[in-house]
Amino acid sequence: MKVLVPVKRVVDYNVKIRVKADGTGVDVANVKFSMNPFDEIAVEEALRLKEAGKATEVVLVSIGPAKADDTIRAGLAMGADRAIHVKTDETVEPLAVAKIIAKIAGEEQPGLIILGKQAIDDDSNQTGQMLSALLGWGQGTFASKVEIADGSVDVTREVDGGLQTVSLRLPAVVTTDLRLNEPRYASLPNIIKAKKKEVAAKTPADYGVDISPRLEVLKTAEPPARKAGVKVGSVPELLDKLKTAGVL
Amino acid sequence: MTVLLVAETQGSALAPATAKALTAALQIGGGVHVLVAGAGVGPAAEAAAKLSGVDKVLVADDALYGHQLAEPLAALIVGLAGAYDAILAPSTSSSKNVLPRVAALLDVAQLSDIIKVIAPDTFERPIYAGNAIQTVRSKDAKKVITVRTAAFAATGEGGAASIEAIGAGSDPALSSFKSEALAKSERPELTAAKTIVSGGRGLASAENFKDYIEPVANRLGAAIGASRAAVDAGYAPNDLQVGQTGKVVAPDLYVAVGISGAIQHLAGMKDSKVIVAINKDEEAPIFQVADFGLVADLFPALKELDAELAKAGR
Ligand SMILES: Cc1cc2nc3c(=O)[nH]c(=O)nc-3n(C[C@H](O)[C@H](O)[C@H](O)COP(=O)(O)OP(=O)(O)OC[C@H]3O[C@@H](n4cnc5c(N)ncnc54)[C@H](O)[C@@H]3O)c2cc1C
Ligand SMILES: Cc1cc2nc3c(=O)[nH]c(=O)nc-3n(C[C@H](O)[C@H](O)[C@H](O)COP(=O)(O)OP(=O)(O)OC[C@H]3O[C@@H](n4cnc5c(N)ncnc54)[C@H](O)[C@@H]3O)c2cc1C
């Protein structure tokens, strides 16, 4: 069984972004980029399936600018076998991302596609669900445990009230939550090896997908700022303040 | 313009999140129909019919929807979608699972987690963990939207909408329910609570989390929250995680104990009315958003807080 893992290049989670003064977007010049943390978890899960003999090959997909090559190489250095880079400098909304990945799935015929539950830049939390809809496959979102059985996969999901386990017919789509695993670090020899792994260069047009946006961003603004308050010296003083504030 | 609001249920009851998303639906304008899908959800449908401004309640009461599986639920909503200009749901783990599937089947974009309705096609939504707010206009004829409940007040009762039973749709048979482990708690639900006491890595163990956070939460009638670090370390269950990738809350009072205040945590609680931080490190970033900060070792501080609240008859 082949496992497909879409990986996205995003602003590193440690960076506190700044909104551009003219309201046209977020200033991402000269900030650090990394693989979306949920996608690292997705790559790790795919590699563990391969190491357990449940998967035969791990193929990465990234849709994005030339620089997304760094993200792809990071995933190859973790141990993925090869990758497909769909190059574009345009904004690609989740629906279009899902359409491209669906076309790739048609060519690659994976048994499982593992995505992150959300990208930490746009926080959409949509792509995996859209992809499974387009493919007509089952979906196991927000996974904290994935167990492959014969022709099916059991996915334990983090839901509002606790945990839910569903069984999906294969092929299926899984999206990762934080507790699924702890991703490995790439070793130096693997980083060097990754440079030689195959990365197929494609464009959205190769897949016949129209990526023109459905959403128009009119403005990007700073959220209202919250000011630091006061330090209190003791627990009784804290309680006094809370009473005065009307919340006790 | 008619809006279909997909209700959130808790067992057979209507979850409070529904009345909050209704406020956004009413701001979009036109009529509002509420879809209640589940097994044994008659009481939820009756509660939805009483909400002010609801014109009609559709109930799909069938075992097929008992566990809110995405595939059959999305098929049901898509079957109804023709009659509506917008499909809305409160942003819960269930709607996050289902609505993007609906959007893709309708070939439209989804707007996730809106925090304001500017016009029927224009909305505000947070990106980058709430560090930027986008104003976005949808060019699609049909809009699929999830609503951040912390950003909208609940609509009250006062309506008397008609209730119409609808038959179950087909079962795509792609998935099946196996089991669930849901927390049973007498406490208020995290996203509906007026007061939240949250614990972080500073609690240092699951026992401490229980022994120090719970008594204070009990006295305050509060829900309990946690940082990702506390959940990862097993001090608290996953459904208590507050933050960018957990639950987003905006209670009247949020007490952060032994939590440093990482961007991802702040994203989930910085719209709370009053924030209290208890942390032994006076440089901790949580103090930059706290209205009242207590620089102290949390263990004696929480014991004292518990005792003082007891003295005050709480
Ligand atoms: C209104 C709007 C405006 C935007 N403006 C800009 C902009 O100005 N500049 C800009 O650079 N981007 C912009 N984007 C972001 C870009 O379009 C996103 O890649 C796309 O929206 C996916 O959203 P997400 O990453 O939040 O998806 P999610 O659904 O949160 O992502 C979930 C998972 O899907 C997979 N995935 C998502 N995207 C990709 C990808 N590209 N390649 C491979 N796997 C992927 C990953 O596994 C990821 O973990 C914008 C998006 C929107 C909705
Ligand atoms: C993709 C991604 C998603 C994430 N999503 C979330 C999310 O949704 N929610 C979330 O919370 N985090 C999230 N995080 C994690 C986040 O970056 C932080 O790591 C996390 O919030 C830290 O938790 P903490 O404050 O409990 O721990 P720490 O940062 O370790 O802070 C512990 C604090 O406790 C204090 N302390 C220790 N002992 C005591 C004592 N005895 N008395 C008083 N104070 C004490 C310390 O001074 C310190 O400030 C995410 C991270 C990533 C990469």
Side-chain angles (χ1 to χ4, degrees):
Chain A
M1 177 177 83
K2 204 187 277 183
V3 182
L4 200 62
V5 184
V7 293
K8 187 182 181 192
R9 174 178 182 263
V10 299
V11 170
D12 187 84
Y13 80 99
N14 277 310
V15 174
K16 180 144 194 310
I17 54 95
R18 250 198 295 269
V19 173
K20 288 185 195 161
D22 63 1
T24 57
V26 165
D27 191 359
V28 294
N30 306 317
V31 307
K32 185 183 173 201
F33 279 81
S34 303
M35 185 188 294
N36 181 37
F38 288 99
D39 302 353
E40 290 181 347
I41 297 172
V43 174
E44 177 66 35
E45 195 64 18
L47 294 174
R48 290 187 189 185
L49 289 175
K50 189 178 167 191
E51 285 156 5
K54 311 256 185 199
T56 49
E57 191 185 22
V58 177
V59 182
L60 308 180
V61 182
S62 194
I63 300 152
K67 285 249 175 74
D69 189 60
D70 298 349
T71 308
I72 290 172
R73 297 290 164 191
L76 293 172
M78 285 174 73
D81 296 294
R82 62 186 169 89
I84 300 164
H85 184 174
V86 183
K87 288 192 185 165
T88 172
D89 290 325
E90 302 297 316
T91 289
V92 192
E93 291 173 357
L95 181 60
V97 169
K99 285 180 180 176
I100 293 171
I101 300 170
K103 284 281 167 62
I104 293 172
E107 290 176 4
E108 294 280 344
Q109 299 285 317
L112 196 63
I113 306 179
I114 311 180
L115 303 88
K117 84 162 174 181
Q118 85 194 56
I120 58 163
D121 47 3
D122 295 298
D123 286 335
S124 296
N125 194 335
Q126 300 173 3
T127 308
Q129 297 89 314
M130 289 182 155
L131 174 63
S132 47
L134 297 175
L135 291 168
W137 294 1
Q139 65 184 57
T141 53
F142 327 145
S144 67
K145 194 170 174 198
V146 173
E147 280 178 301
I148 305 282
D150 199 16
S152 68
V153 56
D154 286 355
V155 180
T156 300
R157 313 175 49 234
E158 294 199 359
V159 296
D160 282 346
L163 298 170
Q164 180 194 56
T165 304
V166 294
S167 173
L168 310 172
R169 211 169 73 195
L170 289 174
V173 170
V174 167
T175 77
T176 61
D177 216 318
L178 295 167
R179 260 70 59 180
L180 183 57
N181 61 49
E182 247 184 79
R184 69 194 65 188
Y185 290 100
S187 66
L188 196 55
N190 283 345
I191 292 172
I192 294 164
K193 254 199 262 168
K195 296 197 171 125
K196 299 208 188 79
K197 288 184 180 170
E198 177 201 332
V199 179
K202 299 280 183 183
T203 66
D206 290 340
Y207 298 102
V209 173
D210 174 11
I211 61 166
S212 44
R214 307 294 187 85
L215 304 174
E216 182 185 356
V217 179
L218 304 178
K219 185 173 86 184
T220 305
E222 295 267 1
R226 191 169 183 121
K227 280 196 216 72
V230 296
K231 294 256 167 66
V232 294
S234 69
V235 167
E237 190 188 341
L238 173 63
L239 288 175
D240 275 349
K241 295 274 189 202
L242 293 180
K243 270 187 210 125
T244 312
V247 290
L248 260 198
Chain B
M1 181 109 193
T2 312
V3 178
L4 181 67
L5 173 64
V6 182
E8 175 80 11
T9 53
Q10 267 165 352
S12 60
L14 191 70
T18 309
K20 295 181 182 175
L22 173 60
T23 305
L26 291 169
Q27 287 173 9
I28 290 174
V32 178
H33 295 180
V34 176
L35 170 67
V36 180
V41 287
E46 275 160 37
K50 288 199 191 103
L51 291 174
S52 182
V54 174
D55 297 310
K56 188 155 93 178
V57 176
L58 306 174
V59 209
D61 200 333
D62 195 283
L64 184 55
Y65 310 116
H67 299 287
Q68 307 286 315
L69 294 181
E71 300 83 356
L73 202 46
L76 176 73
I77 296 168
V78 169
L80 297 170
Y84 298 97
D85 304 286
I87 298 166
L88 250 75
S91 198
T92 59
S93 64
S94 170
S95 76
K96 285 178 191 170
N97 189 33
V98 176
L99 251 61
R101 192 170 179 102
V102 171
L105 293 172
L106 296 172
D107 193 29
V108 302
Q110 174 178 298
L111 289 135
S112 295
D113 252 342
I114 62 158
I115 55 171
K116 202 187 239 176
V117 178
I118 309 273
D121 63 350
T122 308
F123 309 90
E124 282 185 8
R125 65 172 297 261
I127 54 172
Y128 288 95
N131 287 303
I133 308 293
Q134 262 183 348
T135 306
V136 190
R137 178 156 65 207
S138 163
K139 297 190 252 188
D140 287 315
K142 226 180 264 298
K143 287 148 189 64
V144 175
I145 298 168
T146 62
V147 178
R148 176 166 291 190
T149 51
F152 292 89
T155 293
E157 294 192 345
S162 60
I163 300 180
E164 185 185 313
I166 56 171
S170 60
D171 180 4
L174 296 166
S175 62
S176 57
F177 171 82
K178 288 203 71 158
S179 63
E180 63 191 2
L182 300 184
K184 279 183 210 69
S185 168
E186 299 300 307
R187 261 172 236 297
E189 203 262 315
L190 199 47
T191 55
K194 285 201 160 25
T195 304
I196 296 173
V197 181
S198 262
R201 198 189 323 253
L203 269 300
S205 74
E207 294 70 44
N208 288 342
F209 199 95
K210 190 172 182 324
D211 295 349
Y212 286 86
I213 297 288
E214 275 188 14
V216 173
N218 289 345
R219 294 210 189 273
L220 292 172
I224 293 181
S227 71
R228 174 193 173 178
V231 175
D232 282 3
Y235 307 168
N238 63 276
D239 52 298
L240 299 193
Q241 182 181 312
V242 171
Q244 178 188 11
T245 63
K247 285 179 182 157
V248 178
V249 299
D252 291 343
L253 174 61
Y254 188 91
V255 185
V257 184
I259 292 179
S260 63
I263 296 172
Q264 292 83 11
H265 189 79
L266 299 184
M269 45 64 80
K270 71 178 158 58
D271 293 326
S272 305
K273 208 159 106 197
V274 172
I275 297 175
V276 170
I278 302 177
N279 196 303
K280 67 178 177 190
D281 172 12
E282 64 174 328
E283 301 292 325
I286 190 76
F287 288 122
Q288 291 165 19
V289 300
D291 299 282
F292 307 115
L294 179 63
V295 180
D297 185 343
L298 69 90
F299 297 108
L302 284 185
K303 283 293 168 212
E304 192 183 350
L305 187 55
D306 182 39
E308 289 290 332
L309 286 169
K311 250 199 275 175
R314 304 277 310 217

